[in-house]
Amino acid sequence: MVHEKNRHINLHDLADFSPKSHVKKDLIKTGGFNTVLICLDDSQEIPPHPEPYYVIFLVLEGKGVITSGNSRYDVAPGHLISVESNEDRGIRCIERMTIIGIQQPH
């Protein structure tokens, strides 16, 4: 985990992919938000499921589909999707994806 005192993070150096499953790395944890790096290889999926916190997903690289509540969005680099607390969220990767997740702590 990268702690809140680090002010410079090279996301390309931290990106890590596994043929078995998505990879999630904690980047910054503070009292106000948690930031994670999510990496998915082609055809990997995080099935839609509810979580008890608000989250914003920012797609840095790749293409896929992000579920937010009852909606599904085709996403590519530069797309930002928000998901309310307790709503379903999920990610289906079409082309290797790197995503930042900014979570409201719960």
Side-chain angles (χ1 to χ4, degrees):
M1 173 183 22
V2 178
H3 298 281
E4 62 271 3
K5 292 183 182 180
N6 284 344
R7 305 220 187 265
H8 179 264
I9 300 169
N10 185 329
L11 298 173
H12 293 290
D13 288 346
L14 290 178
D16 190 15
F17 298 87
S18 168
K20 296 179 182 179
S21 180
H22 72 280
V23 176
K24 180 178 163 186
K25 293 184 177 183
D26 291 330
L27 298 176
I28 300 170
K29 286 186 174 256
T30 72
F33 62 89
N34 299 330
T35 306
V36 297
L37 179 66
I38 306 162
C39 302
L40 297 98
D41 223 336
D42 297 352
S43 301
Q44 290 180 341
E45 181 174 8
I46 301 172
H49 63 285
E51 292 283 357
Y53 53 83
Y54 182 91
V55 66
I56 296 170
F57 293 115
L58 172 60
V59 179
L60 300 177
E61 296 178 331
K63 294 179 183 175
V65 178
I66 294 181
T67 299
S68 174
N70 294 323
S71 300
R72 289 184 173 79
Y73 301 96
D74 293 330
V75 295
H79 288 203
L80 186 134
I81 303 292
S82 64
V83 186
E84 295 289 332
S85 300
N86 300 312
E87 283 192 333
D88 279 349
R89 74 269 327 267
I91 305 168
R92 183 170 50 88
C93 178
I94 295 169
E95 181 181 298
R96 183 181 261 198
M97 297 178 78
T98 306
I99 300 169
I100 291 290
I102 304 169
Q103 308 167 340
Q104 177 186 42
H106 57 286

